[in-house]
Amino acid sequence: MTISANPVRGTRDYLPKEMRLREAMQNIILNVYQEAGFQRIHTPILEDIERLDKSDGGENLNLIFKILKRGQKLDLTKENLTENDLADAGLRFDLTMPLSRYYANNRAELRMPFKVIQIDQVFRAERPQKGRLREFFQCDIDIIGDESSRAETELIHTTAKALKALGFTDFTVRINDRRILTGLILTAGFQPEDVGSVCITFDKLDKIGAEGVKKELLEKGYPENVVEKFAGSLLAGGISDLSAAGELCGNPEAAAGLAAIMDRAKTLAAGSYNVEYDPSLVRGMGYYTGTIFEIASPKFKSSIAGGGRYDKMIGKYLGEDIPAVGFSIGFERIFEILSESEEIPFALGKDRLALLYNAEDDFIEVIKKAEELRAEGYAVATMVKAKKLGKQFTNLEKDGFLGAHILGEEGIKIFGARE
Amino acid sequence: MTISANPVRGTRDYLPKEMRLREAMQNIILNVYQEAGFQRIHTPILEDIERLDKSDGGENLNLIFKILKRGQKLDLTKENLTENDLADAGLRFDLTMPLSRYYANNRAELRMPFKVIQIDQVFRAERPQKGRLREFFQCDIDIIGDESSRAETELIHTTAKALKALGFTDFTVRINDRRILTGLILTAGFQPEDVGSVCITFDKLDKIGAEGVKKELLEKGYPENVVEKFAGSLLAGGISDLSAAGELCGNPEAAAGLAAIMDRAKTLAAGSYNVEYDPSLVRGMGYYTGTIFEIASPKFKSSIAGGGRYDKMIGKYLGEDIPAVGFSIGFERIFEILSESEEIPFALGKDRLALLYNAEDDFIEVIKKAEELRAEGYAVATMVKAKKLGKQFTNLEKDGFLGAHILGEEGIKIFGARE
């Protein structure tokens, strides 16, 4: 009996032609990031289970893949076993918690501001659905150790530049500040301890609409007059003016800071993308402390990039707060958009040639000829010449080969040039 | 109280300077592989637990990180719980089993011979020790669908080319054939069902010596005359002549095939590396069916690359055998060797410049100047100019910067050129 060959639910295989696109995407993003002075690091996929549990990861904490203890550490005879008895590690669900741990662990070797790139896999046990994988890549840049809003400016500029290099044009950077959002929630009459819960509901505005948000808040038991006041200001989009929002929430300084970030972003965009204040922007994670931002494209229903400032996270590992802000490109969303587009606006690796030979040819001569063609800049795959050469050519062209050379004959047959 | 910032036992963080080396290594390897007509694929890190358990992975089966079931699937109230009740997935321990599953799953989209690259992470819960990580990268090339030994030739040639591109010179390709090895074990008088167990012991020859192997075989209860005969032929290195080994084991065809592979490899090496028949080469995995090979370097105690033919593995998923052979570069071993060497024989990314400015400067002007320098080909990191400029320069040089530009001043200060 054969064993099933399907990948684990919620994960997928990538075909060579998909990998060509993914590799080109990654190279473009990485090049923009590195050119901008960011440096790549790598952290383990495995993380300590307690660390993951204490990470303010919001809803993601319910989506952690946990690793079974091994050897004598796994005691199945214990009564009333809990998951904590069974697991000692888990797979990271984002790259921000590992980065904060990394900074605390390696601080002696790092200088501030630390401008860092992470392009790596994360894991979330989400209900599988189109465009939502359990194992996927994120592309993050972060600046650690710069409390000034120049860090936000640089992240927005660099992320936008990467998106433009990927061929995206008409996107919008939406900005908010958690301090303004929190201030407006408190002004409506909610208690400080309710802010997190209100944010979780408010974050669903795109999905369930203003009425849905009101309904859920009432169901959560908040007073009707408070919910109405909240609806009147934030839900109705009444605070679309940033300085008015700053006054209303009692934090005009935060509003002025956000206005300065937006001004600089607009100047650097020079019309190539939009920058907007979005009073309803929440971002799910519990760890954001200031500016939050995301990028929306008309090509995709949800955001294609997102991030924000998290000045209190590294302190949990270091015992001392260090300012930090990050921006993450949704690699899988970009891949989904590009793999469904008619034309890819960038090159996908080297031109590929097939070197066709007869099985009885001296294979040393085959390899030597292949190396000659490789020295000319081609990627060259050797393969036995089929009896039906026309069909072989058709298949090779379908597989993305530029052309073929037949051992012992002259020149290269370019497929596109065939009559 | 702060949370520990240490990575999970057996895993590690990589600093920016380490990542520069790792990225350059990966680019070099990938470029050689792609130029040789291989194509990259990607499979999930998560694999089905049953599939892992049934994979002939030898000792690695005891080193699988298992993933706890989630939600209602995890029933902790059941009596006599076993690991199988608790886990439904695991982390892959190599890239060969996932590739075989991948080929069976995607066969309709793939053409033979399928020449494939995998550069990805694998996980093994080994006892942590120097140079042995629980989470590490492998770089594999495989050829699926070519039963001829041209596949072996191409893999050896391409892997050796990648090692040469990484600056390795005086390495040795050691070759054997599982059919010859098995034949010699049977000729000594072992039973067919003992071959696997004898191989596991024989594989320890490097570590425990000929006497240690004899001792372990006797302890396993094999007859003394059989063990002695085995020691007389294989352990004493008596069968260093390939054609004699072929005669003795009753499979002269396998020996002739191996001789042809070696001849071609030597011709293509043209003296740039050594090729040797190694009758004591075993390779741990249970799935090899024919040629096996590894590469040894005087710079490292164990092999730096290894692989072989596994013609029966894909059939487990497809219900039909497909010839397959692969070669894997030990990325972490190469990294260990290179990171300890005085000089790296290849370039590590773009030249990096620091663009220094005063906090009160217009940050738009800072970014514009940075973009000018980036357009000249530099990677440019912006940062505030320190009061002690000399110390800042020293630190920047230590961090690998080529030089600095101070906003508003002329030219670039190249650190190496300082008096």
Side-chain angles (χ1 to χ4, degrees), chain B residues 6-75:
Chain B
N6 294 321
V8 164
R9 201 170 119 90
T11 69
R12 53 162 298 186
D13 294 327
Y14 292 96
L15 292 170
K17 66 178 177 201
E18 293 171 318
M19 283 302 290
R20 276 200 291 276
L21 174 56
R22 292 171 72 85
E23 283 206 287
M25 283 171 55
Q26 186 181 311
N27 288 340
I28 286 170
I29 295 170
L30 190 57
N31 185 53
V32 170
Y33 287 175
Q34 285 180 330
E35 210 178 63
F38 292 77
Q39 296 186 277
R40 194 166 184 184
I41 65 157
H42 181 69
T43 66
I45 283 172
L46 292 173
E47 265 295 347
D48 192 84
I49 194 74
E50 266 192 72
R51 212 146 47 202
L52 290 169
D53 282 340
K54 289 182 186 164
S55 63
D56 290 335
E59 302 256 319
N60 291 329
L61 298 188
N62 303 318
L63 306 176
I64 297 172
F65 283 103
K66 298 182 179 177
I67 303 278
L68 205 59
K69 291 181 182 173
R70 295 150 307 284
Q72 294 180 333
K73 287 186 184 159
L74 183 66
D75 177 9

Side-chain angles (χ1 to χ4, degrees), chain B residues 22 25 29 33 136-140 159 163 166 168 283 295 300 303-306 327-337:
Chain B
R22 292 171 72 85
M25 283 171 55
I29 295 170
Y33 287 175
F136 59 99
F137 276 82
Q138 285 190 332
C139 295
D140 288 19
T159 301
L163 290 175
L166 290 167
F168 285 73
R283 304 290 310 156
I295 297 183
F300 205 77
S303 64
I304 56 169
F327 212 155
S328 174
I329 289 183
F331 186 82
E332 304 300 346
R333 293 170 183 183
I334 307 285
F335 172 67
E336 203 182 320
I337 294 167

Side-chain angles (χ1 to χ4, degrees), chain B residues 178-411:
Chain B
R178 270 284 171 93
R179 292 167 298 175
I180 299 174
L181 179 65
T182 303
L184 290 172
I185 290 170
L186 294 175
T187 302
F190 290 101
Q191 299 302 308
E193 61 271 26
D194 299 331
V195 170
S197 167
V198 173
C199 277
I200 287 173
T201 301
F202 190 40
D203 199 18
K204 299 178 186 167
L205 182 60
D206 279 354
K207 283 183 199 151
I208 62 178
E211 284 308 310
V213 168
K214 265 172 74 173
K215 190 159 163 269
E216 187 169 311
L217 289 174
L218 291 170
E219 281 167 7
K220 281 186 172 177
Y222 297 118
E224 204 170 329
N225 64 324
V226 170
V227 173
E228 283 302 332
K229 192 169 174 199
F230 180 71
S233 65
L234 266 173
L235 277 180
I239 312 298
S240 58
D241 179 68
L242 180 52
S243 68
E247 290 302 329
L248 184 61
C249 77
N251 196 339
E253 301 79 13
L258 195 55
I261 293 171
M262 289 181 58
D263 280 349
R264 283 203 295 258
K266 282 178 187 166
T267 305
L268 289 167
S272 65
Y273 52 91
N274 308 306
V275 181
E276 272 176 14
Y277 166 56
D278 179 353
S280 72
L281 183 67
V282 177
R283 304 290 310 156
M285 301 301 196
Y287 49 68
Y288 288 127
T289 56
T291 328
I292 44 179
F293 26 69
E294 65 181 32
I295 297 183
S297 160
K299 292 181 185 166
F300 205 77
K301 56 189 187 309
S302 56
S303 64
I304 56 169
R309 185 169 274 282
Y310 51 99
D311 286 349
K312 300 284 177 191
M313 194 165 179
I314 295 171
K316 290 167 69 171
Y317 306 101
L318 196 63
E320 172 195 343
D321 284 338
I322 303 279
V325 52
F327 212 155
S328 174
I329 289 183
F331 186 82
E332 304 300 346
R333 293 170 183 183
I334 307 285
F335 172 67
E336 203 182 320
I337 294 167
L338 288 176
S339 55
E340 285 169 4
S341 32
E342 297 280 304
E343 214 172 328
I344 303 297
F346 43 82
L348 300 178
K350 287 193 177 197
D351 283 332
R352 299 170 64 233
L353 288 188
L355 171 56
L356 305 179
Y357 62 91
N358 295 307
E360 59 272 21
D361 286 338
D362 179 359
F363 197 58
I364 298 291
E365 293 308 315
V366 177
I367 298 270
K368 282 187 177 161
K369 183 67 199 178
E371 292 296 359
E372 272 178 44
L373 294 167
R374 285 165 193 156
E376 289 174 30
Y378 295 107
V380 180
T382 64
M383 57 190 81
V384 173
K385 195 170 76 183
K387 276 180 194 143
K388 294 180 177 173
L389 196 58
K391 188 166 177 227
Q392 190 172 26
F393 280 180
T394 307
N395 285 338
L396 287 168
E397 188 173 3
K398 209 181 288 172
D399 287 351
F401 282 91
L402 174 75
H405 173 84
I406 298 171
L407 190 70
E409 297 187 9
E410 289 295 314

Side-chain angles (χ1 to χ4, degrees), chain A residues 2-73:
Chain A
T2 59
I3 302 169
S4 158
N6 293 322
V8 164
R9 199 169 120 89
T11 69
R12 54 163 295 185
D13 293 328
Y14 292 96
L15 292 170
K17 66 178 174 198
E18 293 171 318
M19 283 302 290
R20 276 200 291 278
L21 174 56
R22 291 171 73 84
E23 282 206 288
M25 283 172 55
Q26 186 181 310
N27 289 339
I28 286 170
I29 295 170
L30 191 56
N31 186 51
V32 170
Y33 286 175
Q34 286 180 330
E35 211 178 63
F38 291 77
Q39 296 186 276
R40 194 165 181 185
I41 65 157
H42 182 68
T43 66
I45 283 172
L46 293 173
E47 265 295 346
D48 190 84
I49 194 74
E50 266 192 72
R51 213 147 46 203
L52 291 168
D53 282 339
K54 289 182 186 164
S55 63
D56 289 335
E59 303 256 319
N60 291 329
L61 297 188
N62 303 319
L63 307 175
I64 297 171
F65 283 105
K66 297 180 181 179
I67 303 277
L68 206 59
K69 290 180 182 175
R70 294 151 308 283
Q72 294 180 333
K73 286 187 186 160

Side-chain angles (χ1 to χ4, degrees), chain A residues 231-250:
Chain A
S233 64
L234 268 172
L235 278 178
I239 313 298
S240 58
D241 178 67
L242 179 54
S243 68
E247 290 300 329
L248 184 60
C249 77

